Amino acid sequence: DAGVTQSPTHLIKTRGQQVTLRCSPKSGHDTVSWYQQALGQGPQFIFQYYEEEERQRGNFPDRFSGHQFPNYSSELNVNALLLGDSALYLCASSWYRGRENTIYFGEGSWLTVV
Amino acid sequence: GEDVEQSLFLSVREGDSSVINCTYTDSSSTYLYWYKQEPGAGLQLLTYIFSNMDMKQDQRLTVLLNKKDKHLSLRIADTQTGDSAIYFCADRVDGYSTLTFGKGTMLLVSP
């Protein structure tokens, strides 16, 4: 049973460019959340997708957008990249309708903006 | 808003017990989680506790929750060098499974 998978693992972008990160949730999970973890900090919640809709959003600008597909996988898009967007981006999956309360994370995508 | 605080660093000897502490501010917390992060890796779920419980044991891990003081602790028995990592406490308040994290506690286990 595959856990949460994310791609790409590492990437380098230039200021002003756009990036797309991808996540496949754990089998059986229907909810995907995205977090940003800056160096030396705890993860910060960006947004959450359920039933292909953005259900909750943290304190992040509109440059951060996302999408969820019918198979529950998700994308995170960041436009007009800034140096401060350099971070580890983590995807978390959970099961909204389930009784279990586990929330699993992927290995993350390391984004460096130069 | 919600806030989760952790001490930043803990150093123990192999074989000793480690206790990592966490405090949170939101009295509406439903579940509290502990995650482990090794260098360059994602977050590994260690355990979680429902806010109506005061203790949960899972092999070498014991979680204690004092809801009145909003204090959570993670005890690792017989700590091994492989336990060296950053440990995050996270608070879940709403029904949407969003988490608020502390800044993490770096655990260093020396032989």
Side-chain angles (χ1 to χ4, degrees), chain A residues 5-104:
Chain A
T5 58
Q6 292 188 241
S7 64
T9 308
H10 294 84
L11 70 167
I12 300 173
K13 290 286 188 178
T14 304
R15 272 181 301 175
Q17 284 189 317
Q18 180 261 348
V19 68
T20 297
L21 308 177
R22 295 175 178 82
C23 171
S24 292
K26 180 177 165 54
S27 178
H29 282 186
D30 58 8
T31 301
V32 172
S33 303
W34 287 92
Y35 291 78
Q36 180 195 67
Q37 186 181 18
L39 206 59
Q41 302 294 316
Q44 298 285 318
F45 173 70
I46 303 174
F47 44 53
Q48 182 180 89
Y49 277 84
Y50 171 70
E51 291 189 339
E52 303 178 50
E53 297 281 335
E54 182 183 293
R55 184 162 67 174
Q56 269 204 321
R57 189 178 184 93
N59 190 24
F60 279 80
D62 292 344
R63 297 187 298 110
F64 289 76
S65 63
H67 189 79
Q68 185 179 35
F69 299 93
N71 66 353
Y72 307 120
S73 67
S74 176
E75 287 181 350
L76 163 66
N77 300 293
V78 187
N79 294 324
L81 284 166
L82 304 173
L83 295 179
D85 295 330
S86 295
L88 176 65
Y89 288 85
L90 293 162
C91 171
S93 82
S94 54
W95 186 20
Y96 179 63
R97 290 185 177 151
R99 287 179 173 270
E100 63 164 78
N101 295 288
T102 52
I103 302 172
Y104 292 106

Side-chain angles (χ1 to χ4, degrees), chain A residues 31 33 35 37 40-45 48 55-56 88 90 94 96 100-108 110, chain B residues 8 31 33 35 37 39-45 48 50 86 88 92 94-104:
Chain A
T31 301
S33 303
Y35 291 78
Q37 186 181 18
Q41 302 294 316
Q44 298 285 318
F45 173 70
Q48 182 180 89
R55 184 162 67 174
Q56 269 204 321
L88 176 65
L90 293 162
S94 54
Y96 179 63
E100 63 164 78
N101 295 288
T102 52
I103 302 172
Y104 292 106
F105 283 79
E107 289 295 306
W110 288 93
Chain B
L8 294 183
Y31 292 89
Y33 295 77
Y35 288 89
Q37 187 174 40
L43 300 180
Q44 176 192 349
L45 175 63
Y48 66 93
F50 183 44
I86 298 176
F88 289 97
R92 172 181 173 182
D94 54 39
Y96 295 141
S97 66
T98 57
L99 299 174
T100 300
F101 284 85
K103 290 189 175 179

